[in-house]
Amino acid sequence: MKYDRSGLSDDQLRRIYKAILKPRMIEEKMLVLLRQGKLAKWFSGIGQEAIAVGCGLALDRDEYILPMHRNLGVFTTREIPLNRLFSQWMGKPGGFTKGRDRSFHFGTQEFKIIGMISHLGPQLGVADGIALANKIRSEKRVTAVFSGDGATSEGDFHESLNVAAVWDLPVIFIIENNGYGLSTPSNEQFRMKQFIDKGIGYGMEAVQIDGNNILETYKTISGLAESVRQRPRPILLECMTFRMRGHEEASGTKYVPQELFDLWGKKDPVNNYENFLLKEKVIDEEFIALTRREIKQEIEANLEVAYAESNPEPDTEVELRDMYDQRSVELIEPVTGKATEKRLVDAISDGLRQSMERYPNLILMGQDIAEYGGVFKVTQGFVEAFGKDRVRNTPLCESAIVGTAQGLAINGMKAMVEMQFSDFVTCGFNQIVNNLAKTHYRWGQNVDVVVRMPTGAGVNAGPFHSQSTEAWFTHTPGLKVVYPAFPDDAKGLLAASIADPNPVMFFEHKALYRSVQGQVPDDYYTLEIGKAKLVRQGNAATIVSYGLAVHWALEYLDQHPEISVDLIDLRSLLPWDKEMVMESVRKTGKVLVFHEDTHTGGFGGEIASHISEHCFESLDAPVMRLASLDTPVPMNLELEWNFLPKNRLGERLEQLLRY
């Protein structure tokens, strides 16, 4: 192995030696602890240290790095106290996740490291968002994100590189090409011979280096980083290396031919660099022994600190509280009292526009939302008002864009993502339920992201543009789910959702966009998320509803003024207003839970269950439900209205009242 030391002093070479030796010695100790049963799991990076260490040394301390679980060298070069790392790996409170997540699955703003989740690929989109924030603020910073060669088969890899290329984002995509995705060799993962061949397809520069040569990795990444700081753009960096141990220790290495171990064993990044420094007389055996002794003492001393720490005491109240950032959203009343008649779509647009004015760090992203104004014209005129940096057309990359939104939030921005239709959210599902939703619980990071969801049927659009998708997300702790039915509520709740430091799924019924209107305050204001509204007051029964079904219920009640019921519009589903619902049910003794979503698995089942458990003694009839058929949404209008529950409301309500 050839080392080019030009431009590096002896002191720098020695510093690099200590930096690459440290993670190796920590790993060797962790493997001992694993065998002793003191550690649950370990993903080894032995043989690949030069890449992580080279990156950690090359980037500035205020630049984010998004490593994987074999990149211990990133964490050690950022000088994270070892006792905190050891506590993290042991599930102790002194780590970064309070014992809630494993090994390197954490982030830390203090050290500008954003760890992975188990799903491979989402971190690439998050890196896009971090870099986008830097670029918008004209900060000359680069973001580095790691991926194994196996993870490049994921759709997130393609989406994230494509977005970075289209937007000229200052990201270095570091691919550790170690020849295997767990046990699957590269020739069963992809056809091209090398990853730099992908560069031309994305229109980005691609560089290949010897990932086991610490000086080559350090100098290459240093040079690329400085270039990207001056001229923002993405670069694909392929690092040729080899994993000398199993995917994780339990999987072993029997699937790897011995000749590969023999070949790559001779390319060991630590041993070869040490021998080079000895040959150059930069270090001697005494220096090596002293360095090893110092690192060993540091490891042992910090292990004692971690060992002395107690395991986390389970506290249900704390666990539930930490699902969300508890900072309250200021409830702001309209200042002037002036109001204008607005349709739902106009109220949403107004709330979004005023939020853009209130939060200069708010970025809007979505398909066709810029000059075109979005397919429903919610953002029409926004480019002229706020510019293309803040109102961004996106490629058809839902997963990468949701990841980008999270990256923006991590780097001090707010983000709104418009799903063109809520049905298309399936393409970004993983980022929402596993990244947005779980981040605060895992390591305390706020996620200021709103995903707007044009939803619902009744518009003759068929199975893939008409689904009610809210229940997909009410099942996911960490998200908030908001679903207004009236223009004034939509504006105030959208403003509150954008102000909220937690991820919010904001549902807007397409059929209500231009069919419903009402008086909407002209000023900026917010409404409390999680509070329902009593739309109609009565005594005979309670109807609990949300979205378009609220208007169906109102229409029926207007046609039958003799029926006296409480009609509750939930407005928010996660959290939902249990107190108002229970108070009404205890008053009326009868309840119908009514929504557009399908019956099985619809959110109404959760409401009905809660009422049955907590209001049983007040009930004069079974809790009844009315929902759509358990089929996809048909396109033909007659079939669609047969699918929807509107025309069955009268019969069901009469059945409830007769009971």
Side-chain angles (χ1 to χ4, degrees), residues 80-88 94-95 301-303 305-306 309:
I80 294 180
L82 293 188
N83 67 292
R84 295 203 66 190
L85 284 177
F86 297 157
S87 293
Q88 172 66 25
N302 281 275
L303 277 173
V305 175
E309 201 176 349

Side-chain angles (χ1 to χ4, degrees), residues 422-475:
S422 78
D423 314 64
F424 300 165
V425 76
T426 51
C427 300
F429 196 71
N430 181 45
Q431 290 278 22
I432 293 171
V433 303
N434 284 319
N435 239 349
L436 297 188
K438 295 177 173 61
T439 294
H440 188 270
Y441 172 77
R442 290 168 52 238
W443 55 278
Q445 172 64 45
N446 56 286
V447 182
D448 295 47
V449 175
V450 175
V451 182
R452 288 184 41 248
M453 302 278 281
T455 191
V459 291
N460 196 208
F464 305 113
H465 289 77
S466 308
Q467 296 173 88
S468 293
T469 60
E470 64 273 8
W472 297 352
F473 303 101
T474 54
H475 180 67

Side-chain angles (χ1 to χ4, degrees), residues 408-430:
L408 284 166
I410 286 171
N411 202 2
M413 309 289 275
K414 287 179 174 286
M416 186 287 298
V417 177
E418 179 186 297
M419 290 290 158
Q420 197 168 76
F421 293 86
S422 78
D423 314 64
F424 300 165
V425 76
T426 51
C427 300
F429 196 71
N430 181 45

Side-chain angles (χ1 to χ4, degrees), residues 120-362:
L120 300 179
Q123 75 278 4
L124 302 167
V126 176
D128 283 352
I130 292 171
L132 176 59
N134 288 335
K135 184 177 180 182
I136 289 174
R137 296 193 295 250
S138 299
E139 297 166 344
K140 293 185 176 182
R141 291 180 183 147
V142 65
T143 300
V145 59
F146 284 76
S147 173
D149 49 300
T152 64
S153 297
E154 294 281 357
D156 277 288
F157 177 83
H158 162 74
E159 291 190 18
S160 302
L161 267 68
N162 189 56
V163 169
V166 170
W167 289 353
D168 279 323
L169 299 179
V171 184
I172 300 176
F173 294 96
I174 300 174
I175 302 172
E176 297 178 299
N177 187 352
N178 62 24
Y180 283 86
L182 206 155
S183 70
T184 305
S186 294
N187 62 0
E188 295 180 24
Q189 288 272 3
F190 40 78
R191 281 293 185 186
M192 83 284 174
K193 293 182 179 179
Q194 50 194 5
F195 282 98
I196 53 174
D197 294 340
K198 286 181 174 284
I200 191 171
Y202 294 109
M204 70 171 67
E205 298 165 49
V207 178
Q208 184 184 82
I209 60 173
D210 179 357
N212 282 30
N213 186 323
I214 180 61
L215 296 189
E216 186 174 345
T217 60
Y218 169 64
K219 294 173 77 171
T220 300
I221 296 174
S222 296
L224 294 176
E226 184 55 33
S227 176
V228 169
R229 292 181 195 113
Q230 300 305 318
R231 184 166 66 89
R233 67 197 189 282
I235 293 178
L236 188 157
L237 177 63
E238 180 179 14
C239 302
M240 306 304 294
T241 187
F242 189 73
R243 170 163 48 82
M244 295 299 290
R245 301 189 70 86
H247 170 74
E248 42 82 30
E249 289 304 304
S251 66
T253 58
K254 291 182 179 179
Y255 49 84
V256 182
Q258 183 58 44
E259 54 265 28
L260 283 178
F261 283 113
D262 295 339
L263 173 66
W264 284 93
K266 297 174 183 176
K267 299 180 180 181
D268 183 277
V270 179
N271 294 341
N272 277 292
Y273 185 58
E274 183 178 272
N275 290 333
F276 165 73
L277 296 183
L278 285 168
K279 184 179 177 181
E280 291 284 306
K281 301 189 186 309
V282 174
I283 63 174
D284 54 22
E285 295 294 347
E286 183 180 353
F287 178 88
I288 294 172
L290 176 62
T291 301
R292 285 183 169 273
R293 187 162 57 249
E294 289 174 347
I295 294 173
K296 182 178 180 181
Q297 289 172 350
E298 183 184 3
I299 292 171
E300 295 298 335
N302 281 275
L303 277 173
E304 289 304 314
V305 175
Y307 288 148
E309 201 176 349
S310 300
N311 281 313
E313 286 287 336
D315 186 325
T316 300
E317 183 179 341
V318 171
E319 289 296 290
L320 293 174
R321 184 192 66 204
D322 284 356
M323 279 311 311
Y324 297 93
D325 188 316
Q326 295 297 324
R327 287 176 291 170
S328 60
V329 175
E330 182 184 3
L331 292 180
I332 299 175
E333 298 288 337
V335 175
T336 65
K338 294 180 180 178
T340 305
E341 189 82 5
K342 285 186 173 70
R343 301 172 300 178
L344 184 78
V345 67
D346 303 320
I348 291 169
S349 181
D350 197 31
L352 192 58
R353 180 184 294 272
Q354 289 179 350
S355 294
M356 288 286 280
E357 293 167 349
R358 186 176 187 85
Y359 298 105
N361 63 338
L362 174 60

